[in-house]
Amino acid sequence: MIVGDITVASVTRNVVSAFVEWRKCQGVGNATISRDLCAWRGPINWALKEQIISSAPRIAEVRGAKKRRETEYSPEQVAAILDAARASPDREHVHLYAMIHLSTHGRSEAILELDASQIKGDRIYFNADGREQTRKQRSIVPIAPTLAPWLVGITGKVIKYRAATSEKTQREGGPAFFERETNDIGRAFEACLIAAHVAKPTLGLARQATDAQDNLLWLPARKKQGETEPRPKMVGLGSPNTLRHTIHTWHQRRGVPQAQIDAAAGHSSERGSGANYTHLRPEYLQEFIASTEAFWAAVGAHTKAHLRYQAGAKCAR
């Protein structure tokens, strides 16, 4: 164990090794030790960047620490998420968000800020008029056929939270629903993951939460709902950004030209005046859109929640 004052100069290879062994003796796993070492590196690297120190010691990664594996959803898992989103009016904004995200490979913040005025013809212009492009480029993407019906008739902000009004409001002749703009979708998305897990637990879209010591967490019984036993506290597996990784990987596996994937994702390296007109070409992102429709066909093997018009009937939004 390390005692006394610690200086940057005292953070040697032997000190780091001793710290790692000490934590292991406490029964701590490699992943936790790896996070501990990140806490060491953070302030040291900051001090180096701010020129408070002239050099920084190398703090090696703990051996055996597993690298983070990014989650990827299968078409069947996406189908379950869409089903869960469509099952409740207050989650329909998650459904539309997922449809746009998986159809365009757009950035999450660009989708959440999207206004109907940015939908022009058969293109979505994720960078609004008058907004300066930043390092995180916002792309122009053709509207995939499966997505197109979901965008018909939208005005104002595209992604809006929608919830039912009270019975009293409705009895008095008020609206059945109210809408408000939203800039965050994380909690609603996780609710969909948990609901999808309840409906189809074999898909592994959620798990029971644990504390720092890996003990399972439970919530008290809801007596008003007739529960008599505690229920597991669940957490969803993945996040809205998992959709971006999912569709990115799908396109790569299908052999879509990397330049098209990058252009849709906002990673395009095109420069010069010609780049401003590339999106006007008829063949613009042609393979990308074909691959997107192939993805929706794969999802269609498990649900019809991605289709706005089913058997000639219009699905209400």
Side-chain angles (χ1 to χ4, degrees):
M1 182 174 177
I2 302 171
V3 295
D5 295 333
I6 292 294
T7 65
V8 173
S10 65
V11 181
T12 64
R13 181 183 300 177
N14 290 338
V15 167
V16 173
S17 296
F19 173 80
V20 170
E21 291 304 316
W22 173 62
R23 290 293 275 156
K24 286 183 177 179
C25 288
Q26 293 180 313
V28 176
N30 286 333
T32 300
I33 298 174
S34 179
R35 289 193 292 270
D36 291 341
L37 295 179
C38 285
W40 285 39
R41 295 188 194 98
I44 292 176
N45 290 339
W46 174 84
L48 182 65
K49 181 180 178 181
E50 296 296 318
Q51 298 182 339
I52 296 172
I53 57 177
S54 58
S55 62
R58 179 178 179 272
I59 301 176
E61 182 58 85
V62 60
R63 291 183 179 180
K66 294 181 180 179
K67 292 183 178 180
R68 180 177 177 270
R69 182 179 180 274
E70 193 158 5
T71 304
E72 174 190 345
Y73 296 136
S74 67
E76 186 175 6
Q77 288 176 314
V78 169
I81 294 169
L82 294 178
D83 282 336
R86 290 286 288 158
S88 178
D90 63 354
R91 296 182 195 144
E92 286 197 354
H93 64 305
V94 177
H95 177 276
L96 183 56
Y97 170 93
M99 290 295 304
I100 296 174
H101 208 147
L102 292 166
S103 296
T104 65
H105 201 352
R107 296 185 184 278
S108 182
E109 61 272 20
I111 297 171
L112 289 172
E113 294 175 9
L114 184 64
D115 187 87
S117 63
Q118 295 169 241
I119 303 171
K120 304 174 183 180
D122 61 351
R123 300 284 191 268
I124 294 177
Y125 293 71
F126 279 117
N127 201 53
D129 291 342
R131 179 187 179 274
E132 185 178 352
Q133 282 280 21
T134 64
R135 184 176 59 85
K136 291 186 176 182
Q137 296 277 312
R138 294 193 178 184
S139 56
I140 301 170
V141 184
I143 300 173
T146 300
L147 174 63
W150 293 100
L151 302 179
V152 173
I154 291 179
T155 58
K157 188 87 174 288
V158 173
I159 305 299
K160 298 176 184 175
Y161 174 79
R162 184 172 186 247
T165 57
S166 66
E167 292 182 3
K168 181 176 182 294
T169 298
Q170 295 181 40
R171 282 198 306 269
E172 295 174 351
F177 297 94
F178 74 88
E179 290 184 333
R180 62 175 171 79
E181 295 184 359
T182 179
N183 294 313
D184 183 86
I185 207 165
R187 291 177 63 183
F189 186 81
E190 184 174 40
C192 287
L193 292 176
I194 294 172
H197 176 77
V198 171
K200 295 185 176 180
T202 58
L203 295 182
L205 287 168
R207 64 169 176 80
Q208 188 170 358
T210 58
D211 60 19
Q213 286 72 45
D214 289 331
N215 298 313
L216 296 176
L217 296 179
W218 299 82
L219 296 172
R222 295 169 291 191
K223 295 181 179 180
K224 289 185 178 180
Q225 298 187 26
E227 295 177 349
T228 58
E229 300 291 334
R231 67 190 191 280
K233 180 178 181 180
M234 303 299 293
V235 292
L237 299 180
S239 68
N241 200 55
T242 304
L243 299 174
R244 184 170 166 91
H245 177 68
T246 294
I247 199 63
H248 185 94
T249 304
W250 170 272
H251 291 316
Q252 287 187 321
R253 286 176 179 161
R254 287 187 61 85
V256 175
Q258 190 63 45
Q260 292 193 27
I261 299 174
D262 289 344
H267 298 157
S268 178
S269 60
E270 283 191 312
R271 294 290 184 270
S273 58
N276 296 326
Y277 303 99
T278 302
H279 67 280
L280 298 176
R281 299 172 184 169
E283 71 278 10
Y284 177 63
L285 300 189
Q286 194 171 64
E287 289 90 344
F288 174 88
I289 293 299
S291 178
T292 298
E293 288 302 291
F295 177 80
W296 289 125
V299 170
H302 309 284
T303 187
K304 290 185 178 179
H306 61 305
L307 302 176
R308 185 166 189 187
Y309 301 102
Q310 301 172 21
K314 183 177 180 179
C315 296
R317 284 192 66 245

